[in-house]
């Protein structure tokens, strides 16, 4: 494996000019893991075809090239349950690759910044970070529209960003300020964005799954051509209400796609200790399922596209995203008591979603290393600016305690506990 | 038969009394609800700015006349007073009428529950609606309260107006998480982005030897959930009015019906009417003591009132109807008049509606009370199956008479 890395590193320094090239990394690989790894990295460095090979020689400005089609292969093939899995080859463009990279770098930066904000006690309570899992959000957004609904649990910061939320709204909400997406009253676990059909943001494990099926029900009721992505984790996959909701969704052919973000740990318990059958994509029994490499944004994109087509015609489908979180369950969990640091760094080295995109970009000569580093620096700068601006936003005023409890038409005066302070008229 | 209003947005004129403003009854369902100014009773614990005799709700809005009929001493007379001829029906039929009118009026209204569709509802409340509106609008669910309540809430987040039926209120304990967290709190935690206009309804209360698990009073468990409203109906008239008001409300409303009251018969007006969710009902004005009650206990109180009147007492009986929030305005005015309060409820002694009401009245009207508030409630026991024991645990009219005599000494 060291050999393959050295080889690939060396080759990356000098991207060849000619389009079709193959790297044979089969020398000296004996074990199945090595073969798998070689296959993975060789796939990365082995673009199969492009629409125009001549354009390759004149490197286009990356952010605008929408016309060149690049075909990439997913790292591993899809595994289907009760369905025919989609193809491993996905078409993409340089623009999309760069967008993926930029967005994921921003998400990663945001989560790391949230980590340090939490440690400096500006974010309190619970803070569940998504770094490592960005590919799921990015890939999903690439396959759907803003009219398709997404609902998730508490690991929602990056999904919010993916749906079009701004960094300022994010950080303000985390710090409990007025400029937050929920006006500072929700917190880390309650990010919502109604106009982008992002339904949150839920603290109780598994409770969002029936809600998601309700969203799908409304879509079917209104005969809309949209779907709902109901996301949950491997821990929530053992909740009864999930199977209740799945039964109903299958019964009425609701356009619900259940996405299990399997990061292999439900809080502090490994999946093999919590689930008799960790094949979450098969748990639907009569509901078809697909197992996807959740660290590969293109695999996620392909799976979500496939799922959307399926759900609109045939009803629910389960997608299991095989992903990983670098942080612990939340900021109060070091994340190392139930798994080894070697495991975490191993995944970071081999399967990191941003690195995968970076290698693809470099292999296709869409941007140089320096340009990519600049993008990351820009992301850092944006995040720092957003944090500074969020810190300026004030805390909610006292009467805000009583707003939004009811929806209008409730002209009751409300008092604080001693009936002397904090009087407000409910709107 | 009550006329069912068709035509969204058309201004149909009513033939009867002028207390109805027909134009304002039919806001277009396509128009966003924020344009409608719904009037709600402003409950002020101290000010007597509202003339209790005048029931036109002033202040905020007059778009919707929510209290259709002036509350007079005798409700049955009151309900027919405004209409030349009403029609007689049973309480469950009144609920169905309210449901049907609202479903006709707004296509987003749908019913979700067990056996509501093809079976017609276990208490026949939704009978005939599934053939008329289809299986998607009157949805038969599997027995999965947690999930279908969550589904209803999710659908409400997307803009539908579901009515979630629990076959028995006690079953909704399985959906407590959804009701508390997602239903009550979502408007708040999303900073006002989402509204949850659901109606959660079902029969509760102590029936006839139904056993402990099927005789629960969920109002005591739900009452501290912030963000929800709770109402309890007791007559066909207020059942239909509260059902309609609950459906039209943008807030989540829990409508408590009672298993034993479904077959009550009453004549209700033909015209459309919607009641105020936060208003109590004056059942019998009086001078000596205020008796606050709701749901089935209203009938025990009225029975006791007959005995009391014969004995020379003049009780004022108020059906509080709105369990959350309390109509402290009407209650307060009554306390200021009589200075004695008796609360008769079916909840258990600990943590019931009576307990909260006692605290609320003590806090707000301390100066007007001549005697401590007496609260008659069920015992803190699971409801037994044996008939005699069950009778013992629920408040009976002789106990009410004795309590009033004690209070008015």
């Amino acid at each position: 494996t060291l050999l393959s890395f050295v080889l690939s590193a060396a080759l990356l320094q000098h991207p060849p000019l000619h389009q079709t090239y193959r790297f044979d990394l089969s020398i000296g690989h004996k074990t199945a893991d090595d073969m798998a790894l070689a296959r993975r990295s060789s796939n990365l460095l082995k673009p199969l075809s492009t629409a125009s090979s001549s354009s390759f020689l004149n490197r286009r400005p990356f952010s605008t090239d929408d016309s060149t089609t690049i075909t990439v292969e997913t790292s591993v093939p899809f595994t289907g349950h009760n369905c025919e899995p989609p193809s491993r080859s996905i078409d993409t463009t340089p623009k999309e690759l760069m967008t993926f990279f930029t967005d994921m770098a921003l998400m990663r930066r945001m989560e790391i910044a949230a980590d340090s904000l939490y440690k400096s006690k500006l974010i309190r309570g619970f803070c569940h970070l998504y770094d490592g899992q960005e590919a799921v959000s990015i890939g999903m957004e690439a396959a759907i529209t803003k009219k398709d609904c997404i609902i998730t649990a508490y690991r929602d910061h990056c999904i919010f960003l993916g749906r079009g939320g701004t960094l300022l709204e994010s950080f303000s909400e985390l710090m409990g300020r007025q400029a937050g997406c929920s006006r500072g009253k929700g917190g880390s676990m309650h990010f919502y964005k109604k106009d982008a059909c992002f339904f949150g943001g839920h603290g109780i494990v598994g409770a969002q799954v029936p809600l998601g099926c309700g969203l799908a029900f409304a879509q079917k009721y209104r005969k809309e051509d949209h779907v709902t992505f109901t996301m949950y984790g491997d821990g929530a996959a053992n909740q009864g209400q999930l199977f209740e909701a799945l039964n109903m969704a299958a019964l009425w052919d609701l356009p619900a796609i259940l996405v299990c973000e399997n990061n292999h740990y439900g809080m502090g318990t490994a999946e093999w200790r919590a689930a008799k059958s960790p094949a979450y994509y098969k748990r639907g029994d009569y509901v078809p399922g697909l197992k996807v490499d959740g660290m590969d944004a293109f695999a996620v994109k392909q799976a979500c596209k496939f799922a959307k087509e399926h759900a609109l015609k045939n009803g629910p489908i389960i997608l299991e995203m095989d992903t990983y979180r670098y942080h612990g369950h939340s900021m109060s969990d070091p994340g190392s008591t139930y798994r080894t640091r070697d495991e975490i760094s191993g995944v970071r080295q081999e399967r990191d979603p941003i690195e995968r995109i970076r290698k693809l970009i470099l292999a296709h000569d869409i941007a140089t290393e320096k340009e990519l580093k600049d993008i990351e620096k820009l992301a850092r700068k944006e995040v720092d600016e957003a944090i500074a601006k969020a810190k300026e936003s004030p805390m909610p005023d006292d009467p805000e305690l009583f707003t939004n409890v009811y929806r209008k038409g409730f002209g009751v005066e409300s008092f604080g506990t001693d009936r002397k302070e904090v009087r407000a008229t409910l709107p | 038969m009550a006329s069912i209003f068709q035509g969204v947005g058309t201004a149909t004129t009513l033939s009867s009394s002028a207390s109805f403003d027909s134009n304002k009854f039919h806001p277009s369902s396509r128009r966003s609800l924020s344009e409608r100014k719904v009037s709600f009773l402003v409950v002020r614990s101290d000010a007597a700015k509202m003339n209790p005799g005048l029931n036109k709700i002033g202040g905020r809005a007059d778009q919707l006349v929510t209290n259709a009929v002036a509350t007079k001493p005798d409700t049955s007379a009151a309900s027919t007073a405004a209409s030349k001829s009403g029609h007689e029906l049973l309480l469950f039929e009144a609920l169905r009428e309210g449901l049907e009118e609202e479903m006709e009026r707004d296509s987003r209204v749908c019913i979700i529950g067990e056996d509501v569709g093809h079976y017609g509802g276990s208490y026949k409340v939704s009978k005939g609606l599934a053939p008329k509106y289809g299986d998607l609008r009157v949805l038969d669910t599997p027995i999965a309260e947690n999930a279908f309540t969550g589904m209803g809430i999710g659908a409400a987040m997307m803009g539908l107006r579901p009515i979630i039926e629990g076959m028995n209120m006690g079953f909704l304990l399985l959906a407590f998480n959804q009701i508390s967290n997602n239903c009550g709190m979502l408007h708040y935690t999303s900073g006002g982005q989402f509204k949850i206009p659901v109606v959660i309804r079902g029969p509760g209360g102590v029936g006839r030897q139904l056993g402990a698990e099927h005789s629960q009073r969920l109002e005591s468990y739900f009452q501290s959930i912030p963000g929800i409203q709770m109402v309890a109906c007791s007559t066909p008239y207020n059942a239909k009015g509260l059902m309609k008001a609950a459906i039209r409300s943008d807030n989540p409303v829990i409508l408590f019906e009672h298993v034993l009251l479904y077959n009550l018969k009453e004549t209700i007006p033909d015209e459309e009417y919607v009641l105020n969710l936060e208003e109590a009902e004056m059942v019998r004005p009086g001078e000596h003591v205020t008796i606050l009650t709701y749901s089935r206990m209203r009938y025990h109180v009225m029975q006791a009132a007959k005995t009391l009147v014969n004995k020379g007492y003049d009780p004022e009986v108020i059906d509080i109807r709105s369990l959350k929030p309390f109509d402290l305005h009407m209650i307060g005015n009554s306390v200021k008049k009589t200075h004695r309060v008796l609360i008769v409820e079916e909840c258990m002694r600990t943590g019931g509606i009576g307990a909260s009401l006692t605290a609320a009245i003590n806090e707000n009207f301390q100066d007007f009370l001549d005697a401590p508030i007496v609260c008659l409630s069920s015992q803190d026991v699971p409801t037994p199956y044996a008939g005699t024991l069950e009778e013992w645990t629920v408040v009976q009219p002789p106990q009410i008479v004795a309590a009033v005599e004690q209070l008015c000494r």
Side-chain angles (χ1 to χ4, degrees):
Chain A
T1 52
L2 186 58
L3 180 65
S4 63
F5 274 116
V6 167
L7 268 176
S8 47
L11 286 158
L12 278 174
Q13 300 299 332
H14 313 282
L17 294 178
H18 196 277
Q19 187 43 49
T20 50
Y21 44 83
R22 284 179 178 279
F23 296 106
D24 188 2
L25 295 173
S26 56
I27 313 154
H29 295 295
K30 297 284 177 346
T31 65
D33 285 352
D34 288 347
M35 289 298 283
L37 185 60
R39 220 181 304 128
R40 244 185 254 155
S41 39
S42 63
N43 278 333
L44 283 177
L45 304 172
K46 191 168 52 174
L48 293 179
S49 63
T50 54
S52 65
S53 54
S54 60
S55 67
F56 193 84
L57 294 171
N58 331 312
R59 220 170 342 106
R60 301 284 192 85
F62 48 78
S63 53
T64 56
D65 186 357
D66 220 350
S67 53
T68 324
T69 316
I70 303 172
T71 308
V72 298
E73 265 206 354
T74 64
S75 54
V76 288
F78 298 104
T79 322
H81 166 75
N82 281 355
C83 71
E84 215 26 68
S87 131
R88 277 176 78 177
S89 307
I90 299 136
D91 284 338
T92 182
T93 64
K95 179 174 177 193
E96 187 171 56
L97 274 165
M98 292 308 296
T99 317
F100 277 17
F101 185 85
T102 317
D103 289 345
M104 285 208 271
L106 199 66
M107 288 180 177
R108 179 67 62 91
R109 250 308 93 213
M110 175 177 81
E111 296 296 72
I112 309 268
D115 179 313
S116 39
L117 279 178
Y118 191 89
K119 288 185 174 134
S120 46
K121 294 210 191 273
L122 281 163
I123 301 178
R124 315 303 301 276
F126 294 122
C127 188
H128 307 85
L129 299 177
Y130 202 69
D131 54 329
Q133 298 183 212
E134 297 93 352
V136 177
S137 169
I138 290 287
M140 194 181 286
E141 290 296 337
I144 62 178
T145 67
K146 287 290 187 289
K147 290 265 191 241
D148 295 309
C149 306
I150 297 185
I151 187 169
T152 182
Y154 41 78
R155 215 175 287 280
D156 54 352
H157 308 164
C158 296
I159 316 253
F160 173 72
L161 224 58
R163 284 265 96 178
T166 64
L167 285 170
L168 176 63
E169 284 175 332
S170 248
F171 284 115
S172 308
E173 186 60 37
L174 287 172
M175 295 196 274
R177 308 299 172 105
Q178 276 181 20
C181 52
S182 304
R183 296 166 52 168
K185 299 201 284 194
S188 159
M189 297 187 282
H190 299 284
F191 279 27
Y192 303 89
K193 194 164 169 64
K194 184 173 182 184
D195 50 1
C197 288
F198 176 52
F199 290 84
H202 295 275
I204 304 294
V205 169
Q208 76 276 10
V209 181
L211 248 58
C213 290
L215 302 174
F217 173 75
Q219 285 172 327
K220 186 174 175 114
Y221 190 98
R222 288 205 174 118
K223 303 191 173 69
E224 289 178 18
D225 234 349
H226 307 299
V227 293
T228 301
F229 284 83
T230 308
M231 304 172 75
Y232 58 98
D234 48 297
N238 299 317
Q239 275 264 326
Q241 50 190 324
L242 195 150
F243 296 97
E244 292 177 15
L246 192 61
N247 175 41
M248 288 195 273
L251 201 57
W252 302 318
D253 284 329
L254 302 182
I257 297 159
L258 272 71
V259 179
C260 178
E261 293 180 285
N262 182 8
N263 53 26
H264 306 285
Y265 295 95
M267 291 201 289
T269 307
E271 63 174 343
W272 57 271
R273 291 181 66 226
K276 183 77 179 171
S277 158
Y280 299 105
Y281 69 109
K282 283 193 189 160
R283 290 254 202 111
D285 185 23
Y286 39 81
V287 173
L290 199 65
K291 186 164 165 131
V292 185
D293 179 3
M295 306 292 257
D296 181 354
F298 289 106
V300 174
K301 176 183 170 196
Q302 180 83 321
C304 291
K305 218 162 71 157
F306 171 76
K308 179 170 176 177
E309 280 164 23
H310 182 281
L312 283 173
K313 276 200 316 269
N314 305 333
I317 179 171
I318 300 183
L319 298 178
E320 181 186 336
M321 305 282 178
D322 188 345
T323 179
Y324 200 85
R325 53 168 163 81
Y326 299 141
H327 270 89
H329 164 73
S330 70
M331 285 305 298
S332 15
D333 170 24
S336 47
T337 54
Y338 46 86
R339 52 186 190 174
T340 61
R341 290 194 198 279
D342 286 337
E343 180 189 302
I344 306 172
S345 49
V347 175
R348 205 188 270 273
Q349 269 191 315
E350 294 167 22
R351 298 178 66 200
D352 186 80
I354 303 182
E355 285 315 303
R356 182 188 300 275
I357 303 291
R358 190 198 300 270
K359 285 188 190 125
L360 267 172
I361 291 175
L362 294 175
H364 287 277
D365 220 16
I366 299 170
T368 60
E369 278 233 30
K370 179 174 175 313
E371 279 162 348
L372 294 181
K373 284 237 163 21
D374 284 342
I375 292 178
E376 287 180 317
K377 280 207 196 90
L378 189 64
R380 197 184 199 127
K381 183 159 152 301
E382 268 185 52
V383 163
D384 288 339
E385 274 171 14
I387 293 179
K389 196 138 181 272
K391 282 183 186 164
E392 282 169 27
S393 172
M395 289 282 194
D397 298 322
D398 285 340
E400 273 284 320
L401 181 64
F402 301 104
T403 58
N404 303 127
V405 179
Y406 292 98
R407 177 123 181 140
K408 55 193 295 288
F410 220 89
V412 183
E413 280 184 325
S414 199
F415 301 87
T417 44
D418 64 350
R419 302 195 74 78
K420 292 189 180 70
E421 274 187 51
V422 194
R423 300 178 57 156
T425 309
L426 300 183
Chain B
M1 205 50 218
S3 46
I4 295 177
F5 290 96
Q6 316 272 358
V8 155
T10 56
T12 36
T13 48
L14 289 165
S15 54
S16 70
S17 69
S19 61
F20 295 87
D21 192 339
S22 55
N23 289 339
K24 292 158 188 171
F25 263 122
H26 315 287
S28 159
S29 62
R30 272 178 248 111
R31 214 195 302 156
S32 75
L33 283 167
S34 56
E35 290 176 55
R36 264 182 54 208
K37 295 196 207 81
V38 181
S39 71
F40 281 81
L41 182 65
V42 175
V43 175
R44 291 203 186 86
S45 56
D46 44 2
K49 295 195 184 82
M50 300 281 242
N51 182 354
L54 177 69
N55 284 293
K56 190 95 166 102
I57 310 300
R60 158 143 321 141
D62 48 10
Q63 297 279 62
L64 191 69
V65 176
T66 51
N67 199 347
V69 174
T71 50
K72 291 202 183 94
D74 189 0
T75 31
S76 54
S79 53
T80 49
S83 64
K84 295 183 188 89
S85 65
H87 55 285
E88 201 178 40
L89 39 54
L90 304 172
L91 196 145
F92 72 86
E93 290 170 347
L95 287 167
R96 189 196 317 152
E97 242 182 48
L99 262 178
E100 196 162 359
E101 283 174 19
E102 290 304 303
M103 286 184 79
E104 192 68 42
R105 181 179 169 270
D106 187 348
S107 60
R108 296 169 300 172
V109 178
C110 52
I111 308 178
I112 298 177
E114 296 162 14
D115 278 347
V116 291
H118 293 192
Y119 192 81
S122 42
Y123 293 94
K124 294 185 286 221
V125 173
S126 50
K127 191 164 176 163
L129 296 180
K132 187 170 175 191
Y133 293 107
D135 279 344
L136 208 60
R137 274 190 89 181
V138 187
L139 190 68
D140 274 330
T141 65
I143 306 177
E145 279 79 10
N146 196 351
F148 72 69
T149 309
M151 265 190 60
I153 296 167
M157 282 170 90
M158 275 286 271
L160 297 188
R161 305 184 78 88
I163 297 153
I164 301 167
E165 172 176 312
M167 193 182 274
N168 186 296
M169 268 291 172
F171 306 160
L172 290 180
L173 283 173
L174 289 160
F176 205 111
N177 174 54
Q178 298 287 351
I179 296 173
S180 168
N181 292 333
N182 294 333
C183 181
M185 305 200 199
L186 241 158
H187 189 60
Y188 192 83
T189 55
S190 66
Q193 287 181 66
F194 296 110
K195 62 176 186 183
I196 320 286
V198 295
V199 176
I200 298 173
R201 52 161 290 268
V206 178
R208 298 242 184 274
Q209 297 189 257
L210 296 178
E213 291 171 357
H214 292 74
S215 314
Q216 299 195 68
R217 281 77 77 190
L218 273 262
E219 52 265 26
S220 41
Y221 306 145
F222 286 149
Q223 64 178 323
S224 4
I225 300 175
I228 57 158
Q229 278 187 259
M230 305 200 306
V231 285
C233 62
S234 47
T235 66
Y237 177 73
N238 62 33
K240 179 177 171 187
L242 290 175
M243 171 71 91
K244 288 169 73 81
I247 296 173
R248 292 191 196 189
S249 167
D250 271 347
N251 294 312
V253 179
I254 306 185
L255 173 59
F256 290 93
E257 302 152 15
H258 197 287
V259 270
L260 293 180
L261 297 184
Y262 276 130
N263 290 323
L264 280 177
K265 197 181 280 200
E266 195 187 359
T267 307
I268 65 168
D270 287 332
E271 303 81 21
E272 193 185 25
Y273 65 95
V274 180
L275 293 177
N276 188 332
L277 284 175
E278 290 107 29
E279 219 175 48
E281 190 178 319
M282 178 72 71
V283 184
R284 182 190 186 284
E287 295 290 324
H288 290 164
V289 59
T290 301
I291 306 183
L292 302 172
T293 181
Y294 67 94
S295 194
R296 182 184 167 218
M297 288 296 112
R298 168 188 173 140
Y299 296 93
H300 282 206
V301 167
M302 290 312 287
Q303 210 178 324
K306 279 200 208 109
T307 317
L308 286 168
V309 165
N310 287 341
K311 291 195 175 180
Y313 294 97
D314 188 17
E316 176 154 295
V317 180
I318 295 179
D319 180 345
I320 60 174
R321 264 185 3 203
S322 171
L323 305 177
K324 183 181 168 95
F326 294 128
D327 182 1
L328 288 176
H329 180 73
M330 187 182 287
I331 294 173
N333 283 338
S334 177
V335 172
K336 286 174 195 172
K337 190 168 48 156
T338 65
H339 311 296
R340 289 179 169 81
V341 180
L342 171 67
I343 301 173
V344 180
E345 55 153 0
E346 208 177 10
C347 279
M348 299 196 198
R349 183 121 211 88
T350 308
I353 296 288
S356 307
L357 194 52
T358 307
I361 299 175
N362 269 329
E363 243 178 40
N364 288 303
F365 308 116
Q366 176 74 37
D367 298 330
F368 295 98
L369 289 169
D370 279 350
I373 301 176
V374 177
C375 179
L376 297 177
S377 36
S378 299
Q379 310 309 313
D380 273 338
V381 296
T383 314
Y385 166 72
T388 44
L389 290 180
E390 189 185 64
E391 245 182 61
W392 250 114
T393 181
V394 173
V395 179
Q396 300 297 334
Q399 292 169 300
I400 303 173
V401 173
V404 170
E405 287 177 334
Q406 179 88 351
L407 203 49
C408 292
R409 244 171 338 137

